[in-house]
Amino acid sequence: MIIPMQQKALLLLEKKGRFSVETIDVPTPGPGEILVRLEAVSLNSVEWKIQTTDFVIDDFPAVLGQDAAGVVIQLGENVDMFSIGDKVFYQGFFKNRLAAFQQYSVASADLVAKVPSNLSFDQAASIPLVFATATVGLYGSDWERGGAGLTPFWYPEGQDKYAGQPILIIGGSSSVGQYASQLAKLSGFSPVITTVSPQNYGLAKALGATHVLNRNLSTKELLREVKKITAEPIQYVFNTIGSKPTQETSYGVLAPGGTLIQVVASLLDQDKLVSEKKVLYIGGNFHFPPNRLLGAGLYSRLTDLFESGVLKPNNVEVIPGGLAAIPDALERLKKGEVSARKLIVHPPETI
Ligand SMILES: NC(=O)c1ccc[n+]([C@@H]2O[C@H](COP(=O)([O-])OP(=O)(O)OC[C@H]3O[C@@H](n4cnc5c(N)ncnc54)[C@H](OP(=O)(O)O)[C@@H]3O)[C@@H](O)[C@H]2O)c1
């Protein structure tokens, strides 16, 4: 297979700068890595957050992008799980050679899975970051950006371990929320209560929610509705949205002794916090060292979990125009104009 020397990539030129499609070198895989020709990448809010704030990245120009699917074209040393020509998907990271918004990228083989036979490249590319975030939120270990430390559902002792315990998932139609609902169901939580817009009630139920409530309820109204559903205290709330109002509602519904899992840093008023309620701000990337074992264990099962229908991917919307189309698509995410779907771009279309 011929490995090109150069490729097109979408670069964020400087901190809070503009995006530009440029020609850069194709990275070389090191030990334990593979080189992938990308067929589909998916967009996440973190990319517009990086562009508009001081978030995460210090080295520029920077290639962003966390979610990728494509074909293996080169193997680094000590890679025996994959072959040239395999169709794979994987989670990228905040380093140019590992990021997704380019035509070729390097992946760490332990965080790669083969594309399930029932999924397209587009569907496979939609999975990694949001799925990792839901997984770390529920099962991640206790560290600065860790999760609730529940026993994973794929462990024999984890299946249905939480039967009879209620969980509230704020945002069951968000990309993270769709997986949080599925995982909560697989872990046995019941009832699984979630909040969405009325047009997404059916989707939320199909993904495992037992009770679906309107996302616009106030804290008081939500508490009242939750109490009608269960008399049990709500020990776990997974806020997959993160806005201040959703944080306040989540914290309000959480029972003393409970854990609030959040996808953004706490915006709660410090003077209203009580020591009996734990608030987490999770880091949904398996490349973070404390998440890595969890991620590698899961990636070795991920193809089967989707192929067997145990897990269902998010809906996708393909944006034409290649990498150059990403900045406008990120604006749609920023404005909250995307409901219950992942936006996908095809790097080979880039001119
Ligand atoms: N910490 C991390 O590592 C990490 C990783 C990934 C994502 N995140 C963050 O997690 C958040 C969600 O990401 P995402 O990719 O899942 O978002 P997304 O799919 O773009 O979210 C869109 C969905 O959010 C729902 N939504 C918006 N406001 C809501 C509210 N007040 N209540 C309930 N649902 C609401 C909408 O539901 P309806 O259409 O039903 O109204 C819509 O379907 C973002 O802030 C993102 O930056 C953090």
Side-chain angles (χ1 to χ4, degrees), residues 67-84:
D67 294 333
V71 178
V72 179
I73 61 163
Q74 194 179 6
L75 303 176
E77 285 170 40
N78 307 326
V79 175
D80 48 18
M81 300 283 287
F82 299 99
S83 306
I84 306 291

Side-chain angles (χ1 to χ4, degrees), residues 8 37-41 69-70 102-104 121 321-323 345-351:
K8 298 282 186 195
R37 186 186 72 230
L38 300 181
E39 299 293 336
V41 299
Q102 51 193 334
Q103 292 177 312
Y104 297 84
F121 280 126
L323 297 168
V345 160
H346 295 163
E349 287 175 19
T350 312
I351 40 176

Side-chain angles (χ1 to χ4, degrees), residues 45 49 133 173 175-176 197 200 215 240-241 246 263 282 284 339-340:
S45 294
K49 291 181 183 178
T133 306
S173 68
S175 307
V176 176
S197 290
N200 288 322
R215 64 172 256 189
T240 71
I241 303 303
T246 62
V263 288
I282 57 175
S339 172

Side-chain angles (χ1 to χ4, degrees), residues 42-346:
S42 118
L43 279 56
N44 288 287
S45 294
V46 69
E47 285 109 31
W48 68 256
K49 291 181 183 178
I50 289 172
Q51 195 221 349
T52 53
T53 68
D54 279 350
F55 201 52
V56 188
I57 288 184
D58 289 318
D59 291 333
F60 295 90
V63 184
L64 309 186
Q66 301 262 310
D67 294 333
V71 178
V72 179
I73 61 163
Q74 194 179 6
L75 303 176
E77 285 170 40
N78 307 326
V79 175
D80 48 18
M81 300 283 287
F82 299 99
S83 306
I84 306 291
D86 280 349
K87 295 176 174 180
V88 295
F89 68 107
Y90 59 92
Q91 178 158 36
F93 197 51
F94 305 108
K95 285 184 180 165
N96 285 7
R97 57 198 296 283
L98 300 173
F101 293 168
Q102 51 193 334
Q103 292 177 312
Y104 297 84
S105 110
V106 159
S108 302
D110 61 332
L111 297 180
V112 176
K114 289 186 186 161
V115 174
S117 56
N118 56 337
L119 299 194
S120 63
F121 280 126
D122 298 335
Q123 290 171 308
S126 76
I127 296 168
L129 175 65
V130 291
F131 181 65
T133 306
T135 307
V136 169
L138 292 172
Y139 311 119
S141 59
D142 186 12
W143 65 286
E144 203 190 333
R145 300 286 303 276
L150 304 177
T151 307
F153 77 86
W154 61 92
Y155 290 12
E157 68 275 25
Q159 270 177 15
D160 290 333
K161 175 163 180 184
Y162 303 95
Q165 291 194 44
I167 188 169
L168 172 64
I169 296 166
I170 300 290
S173 68
S174 76
S175 307
V176 176
Q178 291 187 39
Y179 287 118
S181 300
Q182 294 184 66
L183 297 174
K185 184 185 174 199
L186 289 165
S187 281
F189 280 99
S190 178
V192 176
I193 307 167
T194 193
T195 61
V196 297
S197 290
Q199 81 267 14
N200 288 322
Y201 280 18
L203 174 82
K205 283 212 158 180
L207 293 173
T210 56
H211 297 78
V212 183
L213 300 172
N214 192 307
R215 64 172 256 189
N216 291 326
L217 295 180
S218 67
T219 306
K220 227 177 175 177
E221 290 167 331
L222 190 64
L223 253 174
R224 197 179 55 221
E225 292 304 315
V226 167
K227 279 194 175 138
K228 281 189 210 161
I229 296 166
T230 177
E232 295 293 319
I234 306 294
Q235 296 289 350
Y236 294 99
V237 178
F238 197 155
N239 178 0
T240 71
I241 303 303
S243 61
K244 191 168 183 191
T246 62
Q247 294 201 12
E248 287 170 349
T249 301
S250 302
Y251 199 74
V253 174
L254 187 71
T259 301
L260 169 56
I261 305 159
Q262 301 224 95
V263 288
V264 306
S266 176
L267 301 167
L268 295 162
D269 295 333
Q270 289 297 316
D271 56 347
K272 295 196 181 130
L273 299 184
V274 294
S275 59
E276 300 82 34
K277 296 187 185 185
K278 190 170 178 180
V279 180
L280 306 173
Y281 167 32
I282 57 175
N285 197 303
F286 289 135
H287 287 267
F288 293 131
N291 293 345
R292 192 141 194 150
L293 263 185
L294 179 74
L298 189 52
Y299 262 77
S300 66
R301 295 169 170 81
L302 214 42
T303 309
D304 286 348
L305 287 168
F306 280 95
E307 220 158 51
S308 59
V310 170
L311 292 170
K312 294 183 181 59
N314 291 191
N315 291 324
V316 295
E317 175 186 337
V318 178
I319 312 284
L323 297 168
I326 288 176
D328 284 350
L330 289 177
E331 277 299 309
R332 286 178 57 198
L333 279 179
K334 186 175 163 189
K335 289 180 184 157
E337 292 172 355
V338 181
S339 172
R341 69 187 60 189
K342 294 291 295 173
L343 301 184
I344 305 292
V345 160
H346 295 163

